[in-house]
Amino acid sequence: MGEIEGNAVLANALKEQGIEFVFGIVGIPVIELGMALQTAGIHYIGMRNEQAACYAAQAIGYLTGKPGVCLVVSGPGLIHAFGGMANAQVNCWPLLVIGGSAPQDHEGIGGFQETIPSQVDLSRPYCKYSARPPSVHLIPMHVEKAVRLATYGRPGVAYLDFPGNLLSARIPEDSVPEQYVCDPPPVIFPNPQLVEQAANLLARAQKPLVIVGKGAAYSRAEKEIIELVETTNIPFLATPMGKGVVSDRSGKCVAPARSLALQEADVILLLGARLNWILHFGRPPRFSPDVKVIQVDLNAEELNNSIKSAVAIQSDIKPTVSQLVDIFKSRNFSFSSGSQWWKRLEAKCEGNKKGVQAMANDTSTPLNYYTVFHHIQEILPRDCVIVSEGANTMDIGRTMLLNEFPRHRLDAGTFGTMGVGPGFAIAAALYCRHYAPSKRVICVEGDSAFGFSGMEIETMVRYKLPIVIIIVNNSGIYSGLEKEVFEEIQSSGDATKTIPPTSLNFATQYEAMLGMFNRRGHFCKTIPEVQQAVKESLQVTDGPSIINVIISPTADRKPQTFSWLTESKL
């Protein structure tokens, strides 16, 4: 037997643990590691920014259930990735970050890109596990542990640190110890007595509601939840990335009456969602002060958070919902469609749909959000994966662009992170290429959000990823200025003191970026132009398309009963 280098030991260990995709940017000391990963049969995707690489790696982890890997260089490379690590940790998505670091014999004397404190210590606030293998022989053990901790319990982030001298060290090939493969996460079953209590509470409710979170999507509980909704006839809502677990087109979905449903429900079954800012903390005025919440969560520490749950069940979603279905079937229970609760929700849904439809039918220019999304929705394939970020672009798009299937929507998530779009779209396109070749990825961006990671279009071109990027361009952050007003303000004095912080250049032609690759984008001001651009872009299979849709800088959401975020009362 010959010798083997640390780079190869690490690459082989990742392959043995089932890692399929690595996203990153190479440089000293991880250039050879990038090559070793490919030699081991792992897909390596070179990105243009470490944050975007980290976003892509966590998205592939969410879509596959196995951690994606983000590979970064030492010092600034790792620090750039912290935004992505924090996002994955808050979203509870499995991610493994591998960072090169300064050689150990350079530590403490100002080594190249050396960090103080160490990278292991710097990473700990954003991780479940952070470690540096002390020798090449122990690399496989640490890789297994990192993958296991990233996926077991509440999924999250693991970081492994590799000094340059460890990666380049050589040891006898037959001295590398065999390492067992991490088993799939164990399934946690609920306490049957608590499930019985939950069923009794739901059966007695006058205004029951099911809320489906992205935890339900990650746990792949769609079959069980669909059966629950169909069996019980209880109305449901989905959180943003819980959309599609049950189809948005289901007659049981009361998303158009979301405010009413939350405010008046007397019993809520919370499946894989947290009572954080997205759900207004479960508190008045957005919820009834007397609401009883049945909380099902994998993580015991999440139970009774923000408010006291009437029934708190630590469990995987699938077995709990399956047991609830069995109980309701044995009782022949079905919530009456003729109940006052259903009648009120249906009336509210119908009224809100009419208000939105009026805006969607207004095709006058400059366009508004609702008409853009409505006419895009008419053309999009029902099974497309929708990636979305921005302020109004994401919020309004969430209500207008429907999801038929689970894990088909990726957006700014619990951390509200902007810049995730292109990285998420790259991961989704790679997932589709390998697991669902017929599906298309639609990346819907606000113009401000696109600016964070726009150069990742080069990555999409390089790997021939057929992503349709739709930029809804209002020339600003939240809102912009009309061309004449912007130019007048811009020339009225020192621009740093006159241009509003929310303003961007008017109608920037982002689609022209494709010209760098001898490709043509689409600049659209009217609905016929938008629809033609979408149709043409869906025919492109060898790289990305960019559709730049110019809308009114003052376009806004329809009037809301409540402000978007429940205000602090302190």
Side-chain angles (χ1 to χ4, degrees):
M1 297 290 286
E3 290 187 324
I4 187 170
E5 193 177 64
N7 285 306
V9 173
L10 175 54
N12 292 339
L14 291 168
K15 180 68 174 178
E16 288 170 3
Q17 294 301 329
I19 299 299
E20 296 181 84
F21 299 94
V22 176
F23 303 82
I25 299 177
V26 297
I28 297 172
V30 297
I31 297 173
E32 291 79 9
L33 176 56
M35 299 175 184
L37 292 167
Q38 292 179 315
T39 300
I42 294 172
H43 302 287
Y44 176 80
I45 301 92
M47 304 284 283
R48 299 304 301 267
N49 178 276
E50 288 91 354
Q51 273 196 27
C54 207
Y55 296 144
Q58 65 194 257
I60 209 76
Y62 171 67
L63 293 170
T64 65
K66 293 182 287 187
V69 172
C70 176
L71 175 64
V72 297
V73 301
S74 49
L78 175 63
I79 292 170
H80 289 168
F82 283 165
M85 293 167 70
N87 189 70
Q89 188 75 350
V90 173
N91 264 350
C92 309
W93 287 358
L95 169 69
L96 172 56
V97 178
I98 291 175
S101 59
Q104 288 165 300
D105 58 330
H106 291 179
E107 291 179 347
I109 57 174
F112 175 65
Q113 294 185 333
E114 178 189 6
T115 64
I116 300 175
S118 73
Q119 293 183 177
V120 172
D121 289 333
L122 285 174
S123 298
R124 283 200 171 108
Y126 312 105
C127 291
K128 295 177 67 179
Y129 177 64
S130 181
R132 171 191 287 180
S135 70
V136 175
H137 299 85
L138 291 175
I139 287 175
M141 183 193 79
H142 281 273
V143 169
E144 185 280 331
K145 185 173 183 180
V147 170
R148 176 162 40 87
L149 294 188
T151 53
Y152 278 35
R154 173 178 280 182
V157 185
Y159 172 70
L160 291 179
D161 191 67
F162 292 93
N165 62 298
L166 187 67
L167 292 173
S168 61
R170 304 184 71 85
I171 61 173
E173 193 168 1
D174 60 359
S175 70
V176 180
E178 288 190 14
Q179 180 61 49
Y180 54 81
V181 175
C182 169
D183 290 328
V187 177
I188 299 176
F189 278 72
N191 180 333
Q193 292 179 333
L194 294 179
V195 178
E196 190 76 26
Q197 290 178 28
N200 292 339
L201 201 56
L202 281 167
R204 292 195 300 267
Q206 299 298 306
K207 299 178 180 180
L209 180 68
V210 174
I211 298 179
V212 181
K214 70 173 176 287
Y218 181 80
S219 68
R220 286 160 168 74
E222 52 268 21
K223 176 179 176 292
E224 290 78 9
I225 295 176
I226 290 170
E227 189 173 14
L228 174 72
V229 169
E230 293 299 325
T231 297
T232 63
N233 195 42
I234 294 175
F236 80 91
L237 291 172
T239 64
M241 280 187 275
K243 284 166 60 67
V245 171
V246 184
S247 170
D248 287 341
R249 293 180 171 87
S250 166
K252 309 296 190 295
C253 178
V254 292
R258 182 179 187 271
S259 291
L260 174 66
L262 294 180
Q263 194 174 27
E264 296 195 11
D266 59 357
V267 176
I268 293 176
L269 176 62
L270 193 67
L271 299 174
R274 290 172 277 179
L275 292 177
N276 54 22
W277 66 274
I278 292 176
L279 287 174
H280 316 287
F281 315 107
R283 300 178 182 179
R286 303 302 299 269
F287 287 75
S288 166
D290 301 318
V291 66
K292 293 179 174 59
V293 174
I294 301 163
Q295 189 178 9
V296 185
D297 200 283
L298 189 68
N299 185 36
E301 288 80 2
E302 186 61 38
L303 300 175
N304 300 302
N305 191 34
S306 184
I307 65 171
K308 175 71 173 175
S309 295
V311 183
I313 304 173
Q314 183 195 10
S315 170
D316 280 76
I317 304 296
K318 292 178 74 168
T320 298
V321 175
S322 182
Q323 289 183 27
L324 281 172
V325 169
D326 288 344
I327 292 171
F328 287 128
K329 282 186 173 180
S330 70
R331 300 179 183 181
N332 292 318
F333 171 79
S334 179
F335 186 69
S336 173
S337 297
S339 67
Q340 287 301 310
W341 182 228
W342 260 121
K343 289 179 180 178
R344 291 200 64 212
L345 290 171
E346 288 170 341
K348 189 66 173 180
C349 284
E350 191 62 28
N352 284 344
K353 284 179 181 178
K354 287 181 180 178
V356 168
Q357 194 62 46
M359 300 176 75
N361 290 337
D362 178 10
T363 59
S364 60
T365 57
L367 300 171
N368 69 72
Y369 288 103
Y370 293 90
T371 192
V372 169
F373 290 132
H374 171 73
H375 289 89
I376 289 172
Q377 176 68 64
E378 289 183 331
I379 299 172
L380 292 183
R382 285 198 169 194
D383 65 348
C384 66
V385 178
I386 298 173
V387 178
S388 184
E389 63 173 333
N392 288 335
T393 298
M394 182 175 64
D395 292 341
I396 300 172
R398 186 183 296 142
T399 65
M400 300 293 292
L401 301 178
L402 305 181
N403 286 95
E404 199 80 22
F405 303 102
R407 298 171 297 282
H408 280 55
R409 178 173 292 268
L410 302 168
D411 69 16
T414 309
F415 212 30
T417 306
M418 292 297 110
V420 297
F424 281 5
I426 287 168
L430 286 162
Y431 175 84
C432 290
R433 174 178 288 176
H434 290 274
Y435 295 103
S438 64
K439 293 184 187 291
R440 296 302 302 269
V441 176
I442 313 298
C443 183
V444 184
E445 298 274 304
D447 50 326
S448 171
F450 179 72
F452 283 78
S453 307
M455 270 310 298
E456 295 301 336
I457 63 168
E458 189 275 331
T459 308
M460 300 174 191
V461 171
R462 192 172 359 123
Y463 294 105
K464 297 185 176 181
L465 300 175
I467 298 164
V468 179
I469 300 172
I470 302 174
I471 301 171
V472 184
N473 189 345
N474 72 342
S475 305
I477 303 168
Y478 301 111
S479 63
L481 297 171
E482 298 289 352
K483 183 174 186 293
E484 296 77 10
V485 177
F486 177 81
E487 290 176 346
E488 181 181 347
I489 292 176
Q490 189 182 38
S491 60
S492 65
D494 185 343
T496 62
K497 296 180 179 179
T498 59
I499 295 178
T502 57
S503 294
L504 302 173
N505 275 307
F506 180 80
T508 300
Q509 293 188 254
Y510 298 103
E511 80 290 345
M513 294 175 71
L514 282 180
M516 296 186 291
F517 313 102
N518 296 315
R519 294 168 178 258
R520 183 180 67 87
H522 303 269
F523 184 80
C524 305
K525 291 186 175 181
T526 68
I527 289 302
E529 290 172 344
V530 171
Q531 291 198 322
Q532 184 60 33
V534 173
K535 290 175 182 176
E536 290 181 15
S537 297
L538 288 171
Q539 300 304 311
V540 177
T541 59
D542 64 345
S545 305
I546 298 180
I547 303 170
N548 186 17
V549 184
I550 307 303
I551 68 169
S552 169
T554 58
D556 204 353
R557 301 182 66 178
K558 70 179 182 67
Q560 303 292 301
T561 306
F562 296 96
S563 61
W564 74 277
L565 182 64
T566 300
E567 298 296 333
S568 171
K569 297 298 185 290
L570 297 179

